[in-house]
Amino acid sequence: MYFFYYMIQYYWLVIIMFKYSLDNKRYHTLNYYLKNKFNDKVIKISLNGGFTCPNIDGTKGYGGCIYCSKSGSGEHGGNPNDNLTTQFNKVKEVIEKKWPSNKYIAYFQARTNTYASLDILKEKYEEVLKIDNVVGLFIATRCDSITEETLDYLEELNKRTFLVIELGLQTIHEETSKLINRGHSLKEFDDMVKKLRERNINVVIHIINGLPYETEEMMLDTIRHINSLDIQGVKIHMLNICKDTPIETLYYKEKFHILTKEEYIDIVIKQLELLREEIVIHRITSDPDKDSLIEPTWLLKKFCLLNDIDKEMKKRNTYQGKYAN
């Protein structure tokens, strides 16, 4: 009798705490969100549209953000020397060996993917939307690189496909933003989130934990701020120190603290506790290129890190949104 009572209590807690997860994780997984939206396994295909960035070409600055790799976060995407359809099919062929699927999302990942004329954007976006079984479009960009005419087009596009705009914020702290050469203000960022949401466009925000000299409280403040915005998703990254980047030089010169795996896990769990439960967690760790990564090397064991986060959340009996306002 007692056994059945405790089993009922256990499953009741699972339903309440893990209602946005298919695999007993204690946070709102992207896998859960897409499976429920499309009633099928959906795979993201990362593409390189050959875009540059206003923080590289001199419009806002030179050299990009100090942590940005030569590929502009496109290490796991297609070859920019191929056209987008060829890129898509090549990446799809590799990914489907592990995760077969009938539905796909085209993900413009490398650099700033709205930083071009409207004609060029339309040409690139419409090409991939014509590919069979592409049900959505994810576009990674900056808040200062979406014009009003592009907003009009995105609003129209949002009526035809599942559209998500990913905005890189990284931190709300202006002193850190200057150090990492972000090139835009928090107000610019918040204003663009508002403009996108006024057009009913889904917004996902990128943040980075472990930026130079940031404290745990500063990282939590970043989460508190974005939790107050009308957003639909978050990507949480750990700072990568990669070869041939300005942050590599800064790291060797000043030896600022790199978060340990244990520190990162602790901070991420506290951030999840602060986030509203309906916000989708698109990423909870970085996925660096092993040949270019200098620190932290513990990032190379991605699945071990994910498992450790799960185990620690279970140990603490906690879950996303536990302390959300």
Side-chain angles (χ1 to χ4, degrees), residues 181-198:
N181 195 36
R182 280 302 290 161
H184 65 69
S185 68
L186 180 59
K187 183 179 186 306
E188 286 178 280
F189 184 90
D190 288 353
D191 287 347
M192 182 51 66
V193 171
K194 184 178 179 181
K195 287 181 179 181
L196 289 165
R197 292 303 299 142
E198 286 174 347

Side-chain angles (χ1 to χ4, degrees), residues 81-252:
N81 295 319
D82 294 332
N83 65 49
L84 291 168
T85 302
T86 301
Q87 284 186 46
F88 183 94
N89 289 328
K90 285 183 177 179
V91 177
K92 171 188 170 185
E93 183 178 347
V94 173
I95 290 179
E96 282 209 324
K97 291 178 181 178
K98 293 184 178 180
W99 301 291
S101 177
N102 294 314
K103 292 186 174 70
Y104 307 93
I105 287 170
Y107 179 29
F108 284 86
Q109 182 179 17
R111 303 207 186 279
T112 306
N113 294 278
T114 58
Y115 189 53
S117 68
L118 185 58
D119 288 343
I120 291 175
L121 297 181
K122 286 183 176 181
E123 177 185 343
K124 292 180 184 292
Y125 300 165
E126 300 295 342
E127 177 183 347
V128 297
L129 287 174
K130 291 177 183 177
I131 299 173
D132 289 345
N133 298 321
V134 170
V135 296
L137 191 61
F138 283 26
I139 301 170
T141 188
R142 290 168 57 95
C143 66
D144 56 1
S145 301
I146 306 177
T147 66
E148 288 297 323
E149 64 175 359
T150 297
L151 277 170
D152 291 339
Y153 170 55
L154 293 175
E155 183 177 17
E156 185 269 326
L157 201 60
N158 191 47
K159 297 173 183 177
R160 293 192 278 123
T161 192
F162 174 53
L163 178 66
V164 170
I165 300 299
E166 297 188 5
L167 295 178
L169 173 62
Q170 321 317 349
T171 178
I172 65 168
H173 303 287
E174 298 293 355
E175 62 270 33
T176 309
S177 291
K178 290 178 182 177
L179 175 65
I180 64 177
N181 195 36
R182 280 302 290 161
H184 65 69
S185 68
L186 180 59
K187 183 179 186 306
E188 286 178 280
F189 184 90
D190 288 353
D191 287 347
M192 182 51 66
V193 171
K194 184 178 179 181
K195 287 181 179 181
L196 289 165
R197 292 303 299 142
E198 286 174 347
R199 297 166 187 259
N200 201 35
I201 297 171
N202 290 324
V203 175
V204 171
I205 294 179
H206 293 219
I207 67 164
I208 297 178
N209 288 332
L211 288 169
Y213 315 114
E214 286 212 345
T215 63
E216 174 185 306
E217 195 60 28
M218 292 172 74
M219 296 176 228
L220 295 179
D221 281 342
T222 291
I223 284 289
R224 292 184 183 103
H225 179 80
I226 66 175
N227 194 52
S228 70
L229 302 178
D230 180 12
I231 63 167
Q232 288 62 57
V234 173
K235 280 189 171 182
I236 302 174
H237 300 260
M238 171 61 198
L239 176 67
N240 296 182
I241 309 294
C242 293
K243 296 176 183 177
D244 302 320
T245 59
I247 202 167
E248 176 192 9
T249 303
L250 181 66
Y251 174 64
Y252 284 134

Side-chain angles (χ1 to χ4, degrees), residues 278-293:
E278 69 270 17
I279 294 176
V280 182
I281 309 302
H282 286 237
R283 179 177 284 276
I284 205 166
T285 181
S286 304
D287 198 7
D289 175 46
K290 65 179 181 179
D291 294 327
S292 64
L293 182 69

